[in-house]
Amino acid sequence: MEAGTPLRRNVWQVLRARLKEHPLARVGPGLITGVADDDPSGIATYSQAGAQFGLNMLWTMPLAFPLMAAVQLMCADIGRVTGRGLSANIKAAFPRPVVYGVVFSLLIANVLNISADVAAMGEVAELVCGIDRHLMTACFVLGTLLLQVFIPYHRYVSFLKWLSAALLAYAAVLFTVHVPWGQVALRTVWPRLTLNADAAAVVVGVFGTTISPYLFFWQASEEVEEMRMRGGAPLVSDAGAAEAELGRIRWDTWSGMFYSDLTAYFIILATAVTLHAAGVTDIDSAARAASALRPLAGEFAYGLFALGVLGVGLIGVPVLAASGAYALAEAMGWHEGLERKWRDARGFYAIIGVSVLAGLGIQYSPISPMKALFWSAVINGVVAVPLLVVILLLVSKRAVMGAFTASGPLRLLGWMTVAVMGVAAVGMFALH
């Protein structure tokens, strides 16, 4: 026994060293943000796009990629350069009603989105293992809540990174079905689409799901967490670290958003070549998309799709809950951070708990989870446009960013995103 102990210790040390050298160890907030973007409610939206319009909605993803990446990069830079989250920076630079209006709208939208996500996870779990969906939903909610409260950030974030592999399930689905790649390439750049109310509604939904306010707050705050965890300082006071840190953020964010965007593209493609091709054009949840795949693409494709929903849900729900907690805690001046023990940040963890449990509670109310998702999209659509303007003003202020104000091309992409999201918000109201 005694002889075996040093051997086990050495094996464990080698394993830890190998894990630290793994490519996933070099990425962080950008990857997790990207995966959280493809949460179960997002999967439902992308599935509907593919089922209803086939290959003719693939063009939305190449257009969305540079826009979502630019916005997330600006948010990450704000967090790392200033050493404060997005909400704290808005509070310092704008009147208090601005930050409180944004934060409380975000919290409401997040709770509704959590409700839709955990409902989808419960439905998929019931399909896979036959256990009651409400019981499975409660297990998922309590599990994610306990992990956030009792596991420190530096350990919890490793768990989230490995869960990001769940998105590979949607690429794997394509190996189980026939894909007309020539048509796919053509329709990606030249869609055959009639511009009517139905098409506009789906485009609005796709962009609203892909570029969401909760992701802005999450990535800025996680850069602050990473800085604290590594013992760094804000770049405004530690310019010597800027080149390496800003380079890391660019790689992490652009690669994370590419992974997210490519996955969404695969989801649209997978449902286009299976559901749309079979005449199934109405998908109102991720669980229904998985269920509809079963007779068309076989058990393996169905299982991959279902497991993907559960995997990304386990990332999406904590990100939704924590983003609102960061935003409100910073606005109120409370201690915040997933690295802190719950006794040292009671208000922060209370917001996480209330958000997740309120999302669970909606499952037992007369409110439909899909209706909750719609209202979440409406609130996000309303909040996103002025919030994007605020972010662009922040990254352009030398008083905030010092020598690290955003470049001209990055700001241009940001203003293009404002235009796209503005059209999406107007369209959302016009179409409903």
Side-chain angles (χ1 to χ4, degrees), residues 29-39 46 68-69 71-76 86 106 110 113 207-223 253 257 260 315-324 326 380 387-388 391:
L31 174 67
I32 295 168
T33 302
V35 177
D37 194 19
D38 294 330
D39 64 338
Y46 301 135
M68 65 191 290
V71 172
Q72 293 304 140
L73 183 57
M74 288 188 286
C75 294
L86 190 54
L106 176 75
N110 283 4
N113 208 332
F207 279 97
T209 282
T210 305
I211 305 172
S212 296
Y214 75 92
L215 300 171
F216 309 164
F217 287 90
W218 166 264
Q219 190 161 357
S221 293
E222 292 321 288
E223 282 299 336
T253 303
M257 295 308 112
S260 171
I315 295 181
V317 170
V319 169
L320 280 159
S323 65
Y326 280 115
N380 279 330
L387 180 56
L388 285 168
I391 290 168

Side-chain angles (χ1 to χ4, degrees), residues 223-240:
E223 282 299 336
V224 179
E225 291 274 19
E226 292 277 334
M227 180 192 73
R228 292 172 181 165
M229 186 176 69
R230 299 174 191 275
L235 296 183
V236 288
S237 59
D238 183 21

Side-chain angles (χ1 to χ4, degrees), residues 109-161:
N110 283 4
V111 168
L112 296 175
N113 208 332
I114 288 170
S115 170
D117 281 356
V118 297
M121 293 169 70
E123 289 172 10
V124 168
E126 185 179 61
L127 286 173
V128 172
C129 62
I131 301 174
D132 179 73
R133 67 185 62 184
H134 294 300
L135 177 60
M136 294 302 297
T137 297
C139 290
F140 289 134
V141 164
L142 293 175
T144 59
L145 185 55
L146 290 173
L147 283 171
Q148 284 185 284
V149 173
F150 294 107
I151 304 297
Y153 173 78
H154 70 275
R155 292 179 182 165
Y156 185 57
V157 75
S158 298
F159 168 71
L160 294 182
K161 285 181 186 180

Side-chain angles (χ1 to χ4, degrees), residues 154-176:
H154 70 275
R155 292 179 182 165
Y156 185 57
V157 75
S158 298
F159 168 71
L160 294 182
K161 285 181 186 180
W162 286 104
L163 266 180
S164 67
L167 288 187
L168 296 174
Y170 299 107
V173 168
L174 297 175
F175 288 98
T176 69

Side-chain angles (χ1 to χ4, degrees), residues 186-276:
L186 177 63
R187 295 296 162 230
T188 299
V189 297
W190 194 264
R192 187 178 293 164
L193 195 65
T194 302
L195 291 177
N196 55 27
D198 289 340
V202 171
V203 172
V204 166
V206 166
F207 279 97
T209 282
T210 305
I211 305 172
S212 296
Y214 75 92
L215 300 171
F216 309 164
F217 287 90
W218 166 264
Q219 190 161 357
S221 293
E222 292 321 288
E223 282 299 336
V224 179
E225 291 274 19
E226 292 277 334
M227 180 192 73
R228 292 172 181 165
M229 186 176 69
R230 299 174 191 275
L235 296 183
V236 288
S237 59
D238 183 21
E243 184 177 357
E245 281 298 282
L246 294 178
R248 174 190 61 78
I249 289 170
R250 281 194 296 272
W251 161 251
D252 182 29
T253 303
W254 282 96
S255 60
M257 295 308 112
F258 181 74
Y259 185 39
S260 171
D261 192 84
L262 188 63
T263 300
Y265 182 92
F266 286 155
I267 294 170
I268 295 173
L269 176 54
T271 51
V273 298
T274 53
L275 306 185
H276 180 80

